[in-house]
Amino acid sequence: MFARTLVGLRLSLLVGTTAALASTVIAIVLASLSVTIGGWAETAVNWLVDLFLALPHLVLLILLAFALGGGTRAVIIAVAVTHWPTLTRVLQAQARQVISSEYVATSRALGTSTFRLARRHLVPHLLPHFVVGTALMFPHAILHEAALSFLGLGIDPTQPAIGILLADSMKVLSAGMWWLAVLPGVCLLALVKLVDSIGENLRSILDPRSYHL
């Protein structure tokens, strides 16, 4: 069981990292487009953010994973597509501060194109937030991956994912084999808390103003 749990954690790390990275890329692209272009682009991005935030998160995850046929790829896509709205709002606020600065106004006056403006001034400023956002999004991604696998809509049941181990343990829990559920659950919780702590420490290092005692 310990060996299966370690393999399951490795698989969860792969799925969670890929989904978190993909979701963060979506967030930084949408935030950059909405702020640099403005107008219809900002309206469209804000509408998408409001739409996804208004939908029940877990229900949307289940529907997407079911529509995509389940499996590892379906879980990655479902988690990536549903976890970007909140981070997009944060990145939009940071991007607006950059766009409204004097050096960006000077760059615009000198004829800098929108694409070059985003590449030279906006994206480098958002990269620290990209790193922190990925680290903080990972715990949500890995927990939702485990939830989908537990419900039978995630990773292939033949693979020892944490959600699958927990689902299998429910069948024998009434027989007193409690350790079959406790070991995967505790390991998953420890991994999530560890990555969450790393994300918080990264945020305090890269953005000391956001750290409060």
Side-chain angles (χ1 to χ4, degrees):
M1 176 54 67
F2 183 67
R4 295 183 69 196
T5 300
L6 292 180
V7 175
L9 288 176
R10 183 184 64 184
L11 184 59
S12 297
L13 274 171
L14 175 63
V15 174
T17 303
T18 306
L21 280 172
S23 189
T24 311
V25 168
I26 294 174
I28 196 170
V29 169
L30 291 179
S32 300
L33 288 176
S34 66
V35 174
T36 54
I37 298 176
W40 63 269
E42 185 172 7
T43 302
V45 171
N46 289 335
W47 182 82
L48 281 174
V49 170
D50 292 337
L51 175 65
F52 275 83
L53 290 177
L55 295 172
H57 195 71
L58 186 58
V59 174
L60 184 59
L61 272 171
I62 293 173
L63 290 176
L64 284 174
F66 180 78
L68 294 171
T72 304
R73 187 175 70 172
V75 171
I76 293 175
I77 295 174
V79 173
V81 167
T82 56
H83 282 69
W84 56 267
T86 303
L87 182 59
T88 302
R89 283 277 171 84
V90 175
L91 293 178
Q92 278 181 316
Q94 296 294 329
R96 289 191 186 98
Q97 294 181 5
V98 177
I99 292 297
S100 61
S101 61
E102 293 183 359
Y103 68 90
V104 172
T106 303
S107 184
R108 283 185 184 276
L110 293 174
T112 304
S113 64
T114 301
F115 175 77
R116 186 176 177 84
L117 189 70
R119 183 173 61 87
R120 291 286 301 276
H121 300 299
L122 189 58
V123 173
H125 180 80
L126 295 180
L127 280 179
H129 302 282
F130 174 87
V131 175
V132 175
T134 302
L136 292 178
M137 195 178 295
F138 174 83
H140 300 277
I142 195 173
L143 286 175
H144 284 127
E145 174 271 319
L148 289 175
S149 298
F150 180 81
L151 295 173
L153 297 171
I155 297 173
D156 189 347
T158 60
Q159 300 186 28
I162 296 298
I164 295 172
L165 293 179
L166 291 174
D168 291 341
S169 68
M170 293 298 103
K171 303 174 184 177
V172 295
L173 195 61
S174 59
M177 300 180 183
W178 52 268
W179 60 88
L180 297 179
V182 170
L183 181 61
V186 169
C187 289
L188 178 63
L189 179 61
L191 177 63
V192 168
K193 294 300 293 181
L194 175 63
V195 177
D196 185 64
S197 177
I198 293 173
E200 292 291 344
N201 288 328
L202 278 175
R203 182 167 62 178
S204 66
I205 293 171
L206 297 176
D207 187 11
R209 292 175 299 177
S210 66
Y211 183 73
H212 302 284
L213 294 177

